Amino acid sequence: MQSRRTAYSTWRRWTRALSLIVLGVTLALAGCRKDDRVDEISADEIYDKAKDSLDAGAWDRSIAMYKALQTRYPFGRYTEQSMLDIAYAYYRRGDVENALSTLDRFIRTYPAHPSIDYAYYLKGLVNYSRGSSLVDKLLPQEPSER
């Protein structure tokens, strides 16, 4: 009887240890997986994927893709537009501070850019939406009186 208990407890310990090892290896391998291998694709493909994410409303994913594009191709042809798109994604996500800082950086870096008017427009939108709080939503005010 005693040897059966010992054998059973030993078997139980080994199965627990083995299941923990299998779980650890599975989690380690799952953490290494990448959906979009940014290192292996061109600037055009990264921009297209980021733009698709922005159009789909996946703000966090589009911001990450645009930042990867800026990091990988800092002087590429999509750098300026990606800054504007990041600012828009921040605005839509509700992150006012990051949107304004990105827009200020864009305006300071590219003062003669053809889309500078859009940057100022987006900055106005961000500042306009900044004033709407819970009280403003509960007690609506005429926008012309703001």
Side-chain angles (χ1 to χ4, degrees):
M1 184 80 168
Q2 187 70 4
S3 64
R4 282 187 179 179
R5 281 188 191 176
T6 307
Y8 178 72
S9 66
T10 305
W11 176 78
R12 213 167 129 189
R13 257 190 255 134
W14 278 104
T15 55
R16 279 186 187 169
L18 184 62
S19 63
L20 286 175
I21 290 171
V22 168
L23 179 67
V25 169
T26 304
L27 288 175
L29 291 176
C32 294
R33 184 176 167 256
K34 280 189 172 180
D35 290 334
D36 297 317
R37 302 214 38 98
V38 178
D39 299 339
E40 299 172 358
I41 56 179
S42 68
D44 295 331
E45 293 175 37
I46 296 173
Y47 182 78
D48 290 339
K49 286 185 179 193
K51 185 70 173 155
D52 290 342
S53 297
L54 187 69
D55 293 340
W59 313 124
D60 294 328
R61 180 174 166 75
S62 66
I63 290 169
M65 294 296 289
Y66 281 128
K67 284 186 177 183
L69 176 68
Q70 287 179 353
T71 303
R72 179 136 180 176
Y73 302 101
F75 303 109
R77 66 181 195 177
Y78 296 115
T79 303
E80 296 100 8
Q81 184 61 42
S82 66
M83 283 181 78
L84 289 173
D85 290 340
I86 285 174
Y88 177 74
Y90 278 138
Y91 162 67
R92 291 300 307 255
R93 190 173 80 174
D95 193 353
V96 174
E97 290 80 20
N98 280 331
L100 286 175
S101 74
T102 304
L103 287 167
D104 286 338
R105 190 170 358 116
F106 178 83
I107 292 168
R108 201 174 43 252
T109 308
Y110 307 107
H113 193 272
S115 297
I116 195 75
D117 54 345
Y118 175 71
Y120 280 113
Y121 167 74
L122 191 56
K123 189 173 178 180
L125 269 178
V126 171
N127 281 321
Y128 182 78
S129 68
R130 179 189 235 179
S132 57
S133 64
L134 180 64
V135 175
D136 293 332
K137 291 177 183 175
L138 292 176
L139 303 169
Q141 185 181 13
E142 184 67 32
S144 63
E145 294 176 4
R146 284 181 82 184

